[in-house]
Structure formats: C-alpha cells, structure tokens
Amino acid sequence: MKLSLVFSSLWLTVALSQSAPECSRELAATDECADVINANACYNQFRFTNNQTLSCIGGTDNNDRAKKACKCCSCVGQVMCNWVTQMRFQC
C-alpha cells in the first residue's frame, strides 16, 4: 500500500511538471502554431483518442508534428495538452 502511494505521488509530480508554454499572441501567430490551431475540425473527428489526431497537424513527419503539438497545445486548449501528455511525446 505504501509503495503504490509513493508511485502515485511520483507520477503526479511528473505529470504536473510537464507544463505547456502559455499561448501568447506572438506564439499563436507563428506558422507552427497555425498548423496546430487550424486543425480543430480534424481534432473533433478523432476526439483526441489516438495517434490519428497527430495526422491532423501539418508537418513534414510525425516528429515535426509532435514538436508543434508540444509547443502550441495551450493555444488549442487543455484537452490538447492532456492528449500530448498522454501520448508521451518528447517535449
């Protein structure tokens, strides 16, 4: 019981420490964030349930798309940032 409490608190600490940058006006105006923000209709189709959501974002490959998702998730909303964390992208 004690061990699971330790692991739970460690996991919570790691999850909370991975915060996305605030979506400033300057950040939202970048081409990278435009690729992330403009894909809202596609996000609604996949509902942030799997890796297909990554294909909504414009980019050269999945690594490029993942970097954009990490950088700009706060411009879409908390659900996007939660999905980025769930997918364990290297942000």
Side-chain angles (χ1 to χ4, degrees):
M1 179 74 171
K2 240 183 190 182
L3 190 56
S4 68
L5 181 61
V6 170
F7 284 124
S8 297
S9 61
L10 179 64
W11 180 85
L12 183 62
T13 302
V14 170
L16 293 176
S17 68
Q18 294 180 348
S19 61
E22 183 178 328
C23 185
S24 64
R25 185 174 286 194
E26 292 80 19
L27 182 62
T30 63
D31 289 338
E32 290 175 322
C33 287
D35 287 340
V36 176
I37 294 168
N38 292 337
N40 277 327
C42 185
Y43 300 146
N44 290 338
Q45 178 183 2
F46 294 118
R47 306 228 184 257
F48 296 99
T49 56
N50 55 34
N51 203 31
Q52 285 182 317
T53 303
L54 191 59
S55 67
C56 297
I57 301 170
T60 55
D61 58 23
N62 281 347
N63 289 332
D64 183 44
R65 292 180 189 103
K67 286 179 190 173
K68 290 178 181 181
C70 289
K71 182 177 179 181
C72 305
C73 75
S74 62
C75 294
V76 174
Q78 188 61 44
V79 67
M80 177 73 165
C81 293
N82 292 344
W83 176 78
V84 166
T85 302
Q86 177 187 359
M87 297 306 294
R88 299 180 184 176
F89 293 137
Q90 298 298 316
C91 298

